[in-house]
Amino acid sequence: MAYKLLIDGNLVDGASTLDVINPANGTVFASCARADEAQLEQAVAAAKRAFPAWAALSHAERRDYLNRLADAVQARETEFVELLTREQGKPLPQAKFEIAGSIVALRYFGEQSFPLETVRETEDGKILEQRAPLGVVAAITPWNFPVALLMIKVAPALSVGNTMIAKPAPTTPLTTALFGEVAAKILPPGVFNVIIDANDLGGKITSHPDVAKVAFTGSTPTGKRVMQSAAGTVKRLTLELGGNDAAIVLDDVNVKEIAPKVFNAAMLNAGQVCLAAKRIYAPRSLYDALCEELAKLAREAVVDDGVHQGTQIGPVQNKQQYEKVLDLIEGARAEGKVLAGGSAVQRDGYFIQPTVVRDLSDDAPLVREEQFGPVVPVLVYDSIDEVIERVNDSEYGLGGTVWTDDPDRGLQVALRIQSGTVWVNKHLDMPFDVSFGGAKQSGIGRESGIDGMKEYTQLKVINIANKAA
């Protein structure tokens, strides 16, 4: 299959091509079109031209387009799922969950609208609020959830009347290109465009004067560069950045019952989740038992190519991240105790044994940094006040979890954690009607929910007097 760019309604070849590697074997399995700066300019110009007519449609008309997109993706769901696993590495059931959720996102956000709202009305006049679309929105997406994180940008942005440029990560461009192929047959020309690069066009997009907003998901260092680049045109920004989420286990739990849940919170998608549990804190009375249970789960986990039935943990998505995670493990080995895993799997591809490390200091890189891989440190604490202080001593503040037999007690701990989301006795429950976003250096703005949709609009206040003054 040819994976092309989508510019002004046309599927086109790139100025060059980009090889795509299957992380399960480390070899090239496909190539796709790669855009140059001239093609980016064409895409932005097309989106700008398409904006007035798209914004002028009724919400019901735009909703119908989004439902048709959802229908078309659903009709090719198996193709999307298999392609997602091949380019990203996650097990097929996780890929199926991502694609199914993406279809729901298109339908859900397509249904939401912002009619003109009356704030106040008196005998002298009234004050109204209008939510107007911004214009051209650029969606820059990462490689860990390349479809889901695109859809929670595309669906709200298009629903409220914006047009779009989508730029996927260079290591996972194919599912975005496939969505572009679907969109080309449904959306008016220019409403949605796909530009694939090798990380060389991002700065052109984020600084472009005709791009009104950038919705970016990725690392905090890259998010800072996006913010700097967008400053020249005072662009609207949504930045969903890195996290170093803490899992706090309280002293009233049954270790055998909660250990699998905490393990899954750390190891889902081979740990490549912004909101994964990246450091686990256990009370001294349960520390040894929890460490051993987590290590046992790590030793028993099935690590394999995501296409194989029964696989629980797939490969790290790309070689650069694979090498970074292995370096973090080696650094942790020198200071702490590796209970399970601790090395690469001796086979082709970017596989790392699920790794559990104990007895690290709070200053260890594996504790301070975002590992984004199948390795987790387990740390001991002696009091709630102490652990909350340690958890909050981070530049990150994306999410976190609390595990307890007493939900009210869990709430009191959650209220003190400095992050955008905290789950109690669950993880990664993210309904589309609830927004999420980061505190501190984990991001700016909200995604999903009504608050996330509002990020794609300009609030306008209209103040009317019944008679001229």
Side-chain angles (χ1 to χ4, degrees), residues 256 258-264 290-302 312-313 340 354 356:
K256 287 187 178 294
I258 65 99
K261 300 172 185 177
V262 175
F263 182 79
N264 289 335
L290 182 62
C291 285
E292 184 49 43
E293 283 298 316
L294 293 172
K296 180 174 179 286
L297 291 163
R299 290 189 288 265
E300 293 173 348
V302 178
Q312 294 171 274
I313 298 176
V356 178

Side-chain angles (χ1 to χ4, degrees), residues 234-250:
V234 197
K235 244 179 256 310
R236 303 307 187 255
L237 286 175
T238 303
L239 302 176
E240 201 265 284
L241 307 180
N244 192 7
D245 295 8
I248 301 176
V249 177
L250 301 190

Side-chain angles (χ1 to χ4, degrees), residues 244 278-281 287 328 331-337 357-369 376-381 386 390-391 393:
N244 192 7
K278 297 189 172 78
R279 45 193 173 126
I280 300 168
Y281 293 83
Y287 185 61
L328 283 171
R333 187 191 307 279
E335 181 182 340
K337 181 179 180 181
V357 185
R358 63 172 286 168
D359 300 333
L360 289 173
S361 72
D362 285 1
D363 292 329
L366 183 58
V367 178
R368 299 297 301 179
E369 299 176 17
V376 66
V378 189
L379 308 155
V380 66
Y381 72 87
E386 168 216 332
R390 291 165 62 194
V391 164
D393 182 23

Side-chain angles (χ1 to χ4, degrees), residues 219 260 353 457:
S219 71
Q353 298 170 347
T457 67

Side-chain angles (χ1 to χ4, degrees), residues 19-27 87-88 143 170-172 272 315-328 344 347-352 371-373:
D19 287 338
V20 182
I21 291 173
N22 182 339
N25 57 33
T27 62
E87 73 169 347
Q88 201 282 329
W143 44 258
T171 58
T172 54
Q272 300 165 119
V316 173
Q317 199 281 318
N318 58 79
K319 186 177 182 180
Q320 181 180 3
Q321 187 64 24
Y322 169 79
E323 292 174 346
K324 175 188 173 182
V325 174
L326 289 175
D327 284 346
L328 283 171
R347 59 179 288 179
D348 292 336
Y350 308 133
F351 293 93
I352 296 175
Q371 66 271 49
F372 224 66

Side-chain angles (χ1 to χ4, degrees), residues 7 19 28 45 48 56 98 134 170-171 173 181 189 208 229 255 278 293 317 326 356 370 412 419 421-422 435 462:
I7 300 175
D19 287 338
V28 173
K48 185 179 179 180
E98 179 172 346
L134 297 168
T171 58
E181 179 191 321
H208 201 291
S229 178
V255 168
K278 297 189 172 78
E293 283 298 316
Q317 199 281 318
L326 289 175
V356 178
E370 181 182 33
Q412 294 310 308
S419 68
T421 301
V422 183
S435 71
I462 304 172

Side-chain angles (χ1 to χ4, degrees), residues 1 22 38-39 45 60-61 87 107 136-138 173 233 276 300 315 320 363 382 418 430 440 442 447-448 456 462 468:
M1 176 179 173
N22 182 339
Q39 288 178 308
E61 290 172 312
E87 73 169 347
R107 299 194 196 283
V136 179
V137 171
T233 50
E300 293 173 348
Q320 181 180 3
D363 292 329
D382 290 303
Q418 297 169 355
M430 303 178 73
K440 297 189 277 189
S442 285
E447 290 206 291
S448 211
Y456 293 92
I462 304 172

